[in-house]
């Protein structure tokens, strides 16, 4: 299956980012001798403990003591019967010697007055939990490693009797023998995967690595999916202030500022295993906020989380999630070292929220289940430097024996249930049924745009018909080879015809997977077709029917191109790649475009075409980017770090009739920044420069948008070809508040709308010689009179799928076919 391809702002975000900085705890070692201040005699059996802590010891017969702990506070209290207690300061996270002399005293009993507590007793425990987070977080350790077992299962739920009797499912009747009706919703297991891996961590320099030793997947044969099913991509650390779940920022119950988001209750104390623990229950202070409801057991000595059970309340501002529950267990694998040993997660996903009432027409949804177990811990024993070398975090190191069931019977951390054991056979059987294959093909068509027909795939279906002012009605048919034909070679081609220009267009090419590890792809393509220059890569393609339907201006600034290009792409490690290539293009103006040149102030010369011959080098760097790959394409799962792209081009005059000699460079940096309770921010900064004298089609054309559809990486009130420069810089900033304000207004709270604001600007200039080379048309300008800017205020999550933005253009309001205000819509489906 193929997968589809400011200062104020800083001042606002800086305190939160400082709050979220990770602090690595180190061991505090205090030793010394306790003596009588008058006689100098050693005092045995003296109580020495850290203030506001249960960590302590007693002096030995010679008055000597020693404490080595991760849970130190800033002071020691020393007490002994018949002596005045003393408190001494301690320097945390280092070794020190502190000798203490106690003064004898006369003890007199004082009056005892019992008063009710001045604060919620849960807060005192919570304070200690937060205080000890650096010590209890496993990232305090210089190194650790463990074996991880992950089991992930997907189930179809809301399985009713009427559902099983539908004619549509008669070919699959046998699968309903596996329905489990013991829960609130009857469900049918349909997919399962198991992964066994070894996880390694080193603190300095911080390095993580996972070796996948075995993987067993029902239904999907894709190595990158197997990587994603490992431990590193799935783990949630409760000690983080914010937990990213379904792409949203949830506040952890033990976040530093948790009292601002949760109500806490101390309800019990008891042994959990061999540890005495306090039971704290918690729930969100306000509906719709991204917080949990549940309970946690806190160890009374180290204030580490021993066990936590939590769920997302029904009112949370989250789409398509009817329920989400997580249960984690932690154990002390060695003195003062707590590690996660078991992790269970269940998500109930459905397009329509279940009312909880019987409904024979209930829409089927999915359960997603994950069970993970961790054991064989090795702590503070880092491996040799060479072991951590390399940029790849997840490596496939499959044991050949993992293909046999005996391997899993011996190595899985928990036995499969009877129904789980049947899933592999059931899914393999379903894959052999033609009707099931047809359903899968339909889903693939909707997702990818291509309909599979054996060795070929037809599509994309959304380009079959479109229209524009140059071609009139445009009809197109295209196809590409499928993975069934080859997993290393992909050929594709298409032909199109316009009823107005009465011209045939076509394209043909292919690519070859030279190597999968490292990833090396070579390709060659030719096309003769219509293009829209100055369109962002995030816009609808020219022949998409939606681009034709939702236009605000006629699509008449088009260019016919003859384009030959070849390329070689090489990925050096995950997230870092180069592409080198050769391109030869001839451009012909169409519609309202024309190429006019003035030579020695004489009569204008009409130029029929422009030809370029160029080589290019593209660089892409996304540190720790995660993705899922198909045979040729991949879908990025993102990275928290900035993404850098560099595009360098040189054109050669006289080579293959090339008309110009020039160099062009474009640099782009973009990033998504999670800001916890404030939502998230995205920014894109782009800079470009041209060396050489060129006609306007070859200069830097700012990306405009002439549709009513909101384009994230274009100027939505700017027209195509409106601004042309030979040096330019743009900045796009967009902040998503994720309902931060609407969640506090009752009406909007129920609607689950979310706020989004944006700012976009461009600066640039155009040298006089560029205008002399080719005349700019009346609707073309440069940015020499100042920056272009627009702001937007939007609401997203309308009906769970729509985003509406009011866009205000701030500059160059006198240009033709422009408006100060514009309304833009976008289909935006997110959790």
């Amino acid at each position: 299956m193929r997968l589809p391809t400011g200062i104020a702002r800083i001042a606002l975000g800086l305190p939160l980012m400082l709050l979220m900085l990770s602090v690595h705890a180190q061991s505090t070692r205090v030793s010394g001798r306790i003596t009588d201040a008058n006689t100098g005699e050693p005092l045995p059996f003296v109580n020495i403990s850290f203030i506001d802590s249960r960590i302590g010891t007693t002096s030995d017969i010679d008055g000597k003591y020693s404490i080595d702990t991760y849970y130190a506070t800033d002071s020691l209290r020393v007490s002994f019967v018949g002596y005045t207690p003393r408190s001494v300061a301690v320097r945390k996270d280092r070794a020190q010697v502190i000798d203490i002399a106690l003064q004898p005293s006369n003890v007199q009993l004082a009056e005892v007055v019992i008063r009710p507590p001045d604060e919620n007793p849960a807060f005192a425990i919570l304070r200690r939990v937060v205080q000890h987070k650096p010590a209890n977080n496993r990232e305090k350790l210089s190194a650790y490693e463990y074996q991880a077992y992950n089991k992930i299962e997907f189930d179809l739920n809301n399985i009713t009797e009427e559902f099983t009797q539908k004619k549509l499912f008669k070919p699959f009747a046998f699968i309903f023998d596996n329905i489990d009706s013991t829960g609130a919703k009857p469900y049918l297991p349909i997919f399962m995967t198991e992964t066994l891996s070894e996880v390694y961590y080193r603190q300095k320099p911080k390095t993580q690595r996972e070796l996948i030793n075995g993987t067993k997947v029902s239904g999907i044969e894709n190595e990158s999916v197997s990587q994603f099913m490992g431990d590193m991509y799935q783990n949630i650390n409760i000690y983080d202030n914010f937990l990213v779940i379904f792409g949203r920022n949830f506040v952890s119950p033990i976040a530093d500022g948790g009292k601002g988001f949760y109500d806490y209750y101390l309800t019990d104390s008891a042994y959990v295993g061999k540890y005495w623990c306090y039971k704290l229950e918690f729930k969100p202070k306000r509906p719709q906020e991204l917080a949990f409801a549940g309970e946690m057991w806190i160890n009374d000595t180290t204030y580490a989380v021993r066990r936590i059970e939590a769920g997302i309340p029904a009112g949370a501002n989250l789409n398509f999630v009817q329920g989400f529950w997580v249960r984690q267990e932690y154990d002390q694998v060695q003195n003062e070292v707590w590690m996660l040993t078991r992790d269970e997660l269940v998500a109930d996903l459905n397009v329509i929220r279940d009312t909880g009432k019987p409904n024979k027409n209930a829409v089927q949804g999915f359960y997603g289940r994950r069970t993970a177990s961790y054991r064989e811990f090795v702590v503070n024993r880092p491996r040799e430097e060479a072991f951590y070398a390399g940029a790849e975090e997840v490596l496939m190191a499959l044991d050949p024996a993992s293909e046999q069931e005996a391997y899993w019977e011996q190595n899985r951390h928990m036995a499969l249930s009877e129904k789980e054991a049947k899933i592999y056979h059931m899914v393999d059987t379903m894959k052999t049924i033609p009707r099931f294959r047809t359903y899968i093909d339909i889903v693939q068509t909707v997702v990818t745009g291509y309909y599979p027909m054996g060795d070929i795939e037809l599509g994309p279906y959304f380009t079959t018909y479109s229209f524009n002012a140059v071609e009139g009605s445009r009809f197109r048919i295209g196809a590409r080879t499928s993975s069934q034909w080859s997993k290393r070679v992909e050929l594709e081609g298409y032909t199109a015809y316009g009823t107005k220009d009465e011209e045939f267009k076509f394209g043909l090419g292919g690519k070859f997977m030279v190597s999968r590890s490292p990833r090396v792809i070579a390709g060659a393509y030719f096309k003769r077709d219509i293009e829209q220059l100055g369109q962002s890569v995030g816009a609808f393609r020219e022949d998409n029917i939606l681009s034709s339907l939702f236009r605000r201006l006629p699509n008449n600034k088009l260019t016919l191109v003859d384009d030959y290009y070849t390329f070689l792409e090489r990925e050096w490690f995950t997230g870092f790649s180069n592409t080198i290539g050769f391109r030869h293009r001839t451009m012909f103006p169409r519609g309202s475009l024309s190429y006019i040149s003035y030579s020695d102030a004489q009569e204008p010369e009409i130029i029929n075409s422009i030809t370029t011959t160029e080589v290019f080098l593209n660089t892409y760097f996304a540190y720790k980017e995660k993705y899922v790959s198909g045979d040729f394409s991949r879908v990025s799962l993102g990275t928290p770090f900035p993404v850098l792209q560099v595009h360098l081009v040189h054109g050669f005059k006289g080579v293959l009739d090339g008309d110009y000699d020039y160099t062009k460079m474009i640099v782009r940096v973009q990033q998504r920044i999670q800001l916890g309770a404030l939502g998230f921010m995205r920014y894109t900064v782009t800079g470009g420069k041209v060396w050489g004298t060129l006609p306007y089609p070859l200069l830097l054309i700012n990306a405009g948008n002439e549709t009513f559809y909101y384009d994230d990486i274009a100027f939505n009130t700017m027209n195509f070809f409106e601004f042309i420069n030979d040096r330019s810089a743009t900045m796009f900033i967009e902040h998503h508040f994720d309902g931060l304000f609407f969640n506090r207004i009752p009406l909007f709270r129920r609607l689950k709308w979310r706020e989004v604001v944006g700012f976009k600007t461009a600066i640039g200039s155009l040298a006089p010689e560029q205008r002399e080379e080719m005349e700019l048309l009346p609707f073309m300008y440069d940015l020499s009179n100042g920056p272009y800017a627009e702001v937007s205020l939007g609401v997203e999550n309308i009906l769970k799928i729509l985003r509406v933005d009011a866009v205000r253009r701030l500059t160059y309001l006198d240009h033709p076919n422009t408006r100060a205000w514009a309304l833009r819509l976008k289909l935006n489906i997110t959790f």
Side-chain angles (χ1 to χ4, degrees):
M1 176 175 179
R2 298 181 185 271
L3 299 171
T5 347
I7 294 176
R9 194 174 299 275
I10 295 174
L12 179 64
L14 186 58
L16 185 68
M17 288 186 285
L18 291 176
L19 180 67
M20 295 175 62
L21 285 175
S22 174
V23 178
H24 294 299
Q26 298 179 24
S27 176
T28 301
R29 179 180 175 84
V30 185
S31 61
R33 194 165 179 255
I34 312 298
T35 60
D36 184 301
N38 293 334
T39 67
E41 293 292 325
L43 297 177
F45 313 120
V46 178
N47 297 311
I48 306 105
S49 63
F50 284 99
I51 293 178
D52 201 22
S53 169
R54 298 188 64 172
I55 303 298
T57 188
T58 59
S59 60
D60 63 15
I61 195 69
D62 296 319
K64 296 180 180 180
Y65 75 95
S66 177
I67 305 178
D68 189 355
T69 181
Y70 286 109
Y71 302 98
T73 62
D74 59 4
S75 302
L76 277 177
R77 181 174 177 82
V78 184
S79 61
F80 191 51
V81 175
Y83 288 83
T84 302
R86 279 193 62 184
S87 296
V88 295
V90 172
R91 293 176 295 175
K92 297 170 64 175
D93 301 336
R94 64 185 64 188
Q96 57 216 279
V97 176
I98 302 177
D99 294 329
I100 303 168
L102 297 180
Q103 290 283 356
S105 68
N106 294 323
V107 179
Q108 188 174 18
L109 294 177
E111 178 185 11
V112 177
V113 180
I114 300 176
R115 296 186 178 91
D118 294 329
E119 67 170 354
N120 182 342
F123 290 169
I125 298 173
L126 184 65
R127 261 197 314 272
R128 290 172 172 83
V129 172
V130 173
Q131 176 186 342
H132 290 82
K133 278 169 59 177
N136 290 319
N137 193 338
R138 64 187 183 181
E139 292 189 0
K140 73 183 181 184
L141 303 171
S142 62
Y144 62 78
E145 59 188 72
Y146 57 83
Q147 185 185 84
Y149 169 77
N150 281 271
K151 178 176 64 179
I152 298 176
E153 177 183 329
F154 286 97
D155 312 316
L156 186 66
N157 62 29
N158 272 334
I159 303 294
T160 62
E161 182 69 22
E162 289 80 5
F163 179 83
T164 64
Q165 298 302 318
K166 289 182 178 180
K167 183 178 180 180
L168 180 69
F169 297 105
K170 282 188 176 181
F172 321 122
F174 72 96
I175 69 173
F176 297 120
D177 295 335
N178 296 288
I179 290 177
D180 190 325
S181 58
T182 59
K185 299 178 183 178
Y187 64 89
L188 172 67
I190 57 172
F191 167 85
M192 191 171 74
T193 177
E194 296 176 274
T195 303
L196 195 68
S197 62
E198 296 172 356
V199 179
Y200 303 86
Y201 171 86
R202 179 184 61 178
Q203 186 189 113
K204 294 180 181 180
K206 186 174 181 179
T207 309
Q208 290 177 285
R209 178 140 302 153
E210 181 174 18
L211 303 181
I212 307 291
N213 295 329
T215 180
K216 186 175 184 181
V217 186
S218 65
I220 298 178
E221 297 176 0
N222 186 303
E223 183 176 288
S224 69
V225 173
S226 298
Q227 292 178 328
F228 183 70
M229 295 304 180
D231 183 67
M232 195 172 294
Y233 294 167
Q234 306 294 323
N235 204 286
I236 295 174
N237 189 349
I238 195 67
Y239 288 98
D240 291 339
N241 286 322
F242 296 96
L243 311 177
V244 181
I245 302 174
F246 299 112
R248 311 293 304 284
N249 292 313
F250 284 80
V251 182
S252 169
I254 59 173
D256 293 355
K259 290 193 294 184
F261 299 90
Y262 288 96
D263 290 324
Y264 296 92
Y265 310 91
L266 174 60
T267 60
D268 198 1
S269 59
Y271 277 103
V272 179
K274 61 181 180 179
Y275 303 102
W276 186 260
C277 299
Y278 302 114
K279 181 183 179 182
L280 296 186
E281 297 186 12
F282 50 88
K283 67 177 183 178
K285 278 185 174 293
R286 292 168 291 273
Q288 271 70 48
E289 285 197 332
L290 299 181
F292 300 93
E295 63 182 48
M296 56 184 167
W297 291 84
I298 306 298
N299 177 244
D300 73 330
T301 302
T302 64
Y303 294 95
V305 176
R306 173 67 175 89
R307 186 173 70 206
I308 184 169
E309 299 179 22
I312 298 176
N317 192 338
L318 196 65
N319 297 325
F320 316 122
V321 180
Q322 294 203 55
F324 179 91
W325 305 270
V326 62
R327 184 178 190 272
Q328 293 187 332
E329 292 185 8
Y330 295 79
D331 207 347
Q332 200 165 197
V333 299
Q334 71 176 47
N335 187 38
E336 296 188 350
V337 176
W338 290 84
M339 300 290 281
L340 178 64
T341 56
R342 189 177 176 92
D343 191 4
E344 300 175 15
L345 181 151
V346 178
D348 184 359
L349 309 176
N350 205 315
V351 175
I352 301 176
R353 176 163 290 280
D354 193 343
T355 62
K357 300 177 181 179
N359 181 7
K360 68 179 182 179
N361 295 318
V363 176
Q364 277 65 51
F366 289 92
Y367 281 135
R369 308 174 187 268
R370 173 182 180 259
T371 303
S373 172
Y374 311 100
R375 65 189 188 191
E376 299 181 14
F377 294 94
V378 178
V379 176
N380 290 336
R381 282 155 50 186
R383 300 201 168 215
E384 299 82 1
E385 184 70 27
F387 178 81
Y388 302 101
E392 301 288 352
E393 286 194 334
V394 180
L395 300 173
M396 302 300 293
L398 297 179
D399 186 331
S402 64
E403 297 181 3
Q404 306 299 322
E405 180 57 31
Y407 173 89
W408 293 98
E409 292 178 356
Q410 178 181 355
N411 291 284
R412 61 166 60 100
H413 292 192
M414 59 200 75
L416 299 181
S417 68
E418 183 180 352
K419 292 188 181 298
E420 287 174 335
K422 293 180 179 179
I423 294 177
Y424 292 115
H425 175 72
M426 182 186 72
V427 172
D428 290 341
T429 302
M430 290 177 64
K431 288 163 63 177
T432 65
I433 302 174
R435 183 76 61 86
F436 177 78
R437 185 68 251 176
T438 300
Y439 297 156
I440 296 298
D441 291 345
I442 293 173
V443 172
Q444 179 179 341
T445 302
V446 173
V447 173
T448 68
Y450 285 85
Y451 182 78
M453 297 179 63
D455 289 344
I456 66 169
E457 298 174 344
L458 300 179
Y461 62 85
F462 47 79
T463 64
T464 303
Y465 173 76
S466 59
F467 56 90
N468 58 68
V470 172
E471 296 178 282
S473 291
R474 172 188 168 104
F475 299 91
R476 180 189 187 278
I477 184 171
R480 68 184 184 187
T481 57
S482 68
S483 298
Q484 177 177 310
W485 181 73
S486 174
K487 294 182 180 294
R488 299 187 69 89
V489 178
E490 179 187 81
L491 303 177
E492 59 181 311
Y494 72 91
T495 185
Y497 181 77
T499 59
K500 185 176 180 179
D501 63 357
E502 298 182 342
E503 285 190 53
F504 279 99
K505 294 89 180 176
F506 58 93
L508 183 65
K511 49 191 171 185
F512 170 61
M513 181 67 70
V514 180
S515 169
R516 297 194 183 275
S517 182
R519 180 182 171 94
V520 180
I521 301 178
Y525 291 87
F526 169 75
K527 74 171 183 179
R528 178 180 176 85
D529 206 347
I530 293 291
E531 278 190 13
Q532 176 65 69
L533 303 183
Q535 179 173 263
S536 82
V537 295
F540 289 128
R541 52 187 289 173
E542 300 88 342
D543 53 1
N544 190 318
I545 183 59
L546 297 179
S547 178
S548 301
L549 293 173
F550 297 107
R551 298 198 61 82
R552 59 183 179 87
L553 291 175
N555 192 8
N556 59 0
K557 303 170 189 173
L558 299 173
T559 303
L560 178 67
V561 300
D562 288 342
D563 188 2
Y564 305 81
Y565 80 96
T566 63
F567 70 90
L568 178 66
E569 177 186 349
R570 211 279 194 188
E571 184 175 64
W572 304 99
F573 55 82
T574 302
F576 179 48
S577 63
N578 285 120
T579 303
I580 187 172
F582 170 84
R583 171 169 253 154
H584 183 269
R585 281 165 64 92
T586 302
M587 294 176 284
F588 307 87
R590 291 293 184 267
S592 60
L593 295 183
S594 59
Y595 300 161
I596 303 174
S597 177
Y598 288 84
S599 177
D600 300 326
Q602 297 177 359
E603 292 297 320
E605 177 186 359
I606 305 300
I607 300 174
N608 293 324
S609 64
I610 297 171
T611 298
T612 61
T613 301
E614 58 187 30
V615 295
F616 61 87
L617 174 65
N618 296 337
T619 300
Y620 180 89
F621 179 62
Y623 183 58
K624 292 189 176 182
E625 183 182 39
K626 308 295 187 298
Y627 58 86
V628 176
S629 295
D631 292 318
F632 293 97
S633 60
R634 56 173 54 175
V635 177
S636 174
L637 302 175
T639 172
F641 301 96
V643 177
L644 171 68
Q645 299 176 72
V646 180
H647 178 57
L648 182 63
V649 179
H650 184 77
F652 298 89
K653 183 177 181 178
V655 178
L656 298 178
D657 297 323
D659 294 326
Y660 298 95
D661 189 90
Y662 58 92
T663 300
K664 184 188 301 185
M665 183 169 69
I666 300 173
V667 180
R668 176 177 290 115
V669 178
Q670 57 192 32
Q671 184 182 15
R672 171 173 169 152
I673 305 175
Q674 298 285 358
L675 295 175
L678 297 180
F680 68 92
M681 180 180 72
R682 278 201 302 248
Y683 72 84
T684 302
V685 178
T686 305
K689 180 175 173 57
V690 173
W691 291 268
T693 302
L694 296 174
Y696 71 79
L698 302 181
L699 296 172
L700 304 175
I701 305 173
N702 290 113
N705 180 16
E706 293 187 356
T707 71
F708 292 106
Y709 193 84
Y710 187 88
D711 189 339
D712 292 318
I713 52 177
F715 294 97
N716 287 282
T717 57
M718 182 187 292
N719 297 328
F720 290 138
F721 286 99
E722 187 174 353
F723 292 101
I724 298 174
N725 305 275
D726 57 10
R727 64 182 68 188
S728 176
T730 64
M731 179 174 65
F732 299 167
I733 299 177
E734 191 172 82
H735 189 95
H736 299 251
F737 288 97
D738 278 351
L740 179 65
F741 305 110
F742 286 162
N743 287 344
R744 289 160 171 78
I745 304 173
L747 175 61
F748 292 110
R749 182 189 303 158
R750 294 179 62 87
L751 293 172
K752 297 187 178 182
W753 288 359
R754 304 168 188 167
E755 320 84 346
V756 57
V757 296
F759 172 73
K760 299 180 178 182
T761 187
I763 59 174
S765 63
L766 185 65
E769 57 266 25
Q770 310 291 9
R771 291 178 175 272
E772 295 171 1
E773 179 64 30
M774 181 170 287
E775 183 73 9
L776 296 187
L777 300 178
F779 49 82
M780 299 178 181
Y781 308 86
D782 61 37
L783 289 167
S784 58
N785 292 327
Y788 173 91
E790 63 183 33
V791 295
S792 61
L793 177 63
V795 177
E796 55 187 352
N797 207 42
I798 300 173
L799 302 176
K800 299 183 180 181
I801 61 171
L802 290 178
R803 168 178 167 178
V804 178
D805 285 80
V807 186
R808 177 68 162 89
R809 178 168 170 150
L810 302 178
T811 56
Y812 296 96
L813 300 176
D814 57 336
H815 287 188
N817 296 317
T818 62
R819 294 184 178 182
W821 287 95
L823 201 64
R824 298 289 180 263
L825 300 130
K826 182 180 180 181
L827 187 66
N828 190 41
I829 302 176
T830 65
F831 283 104

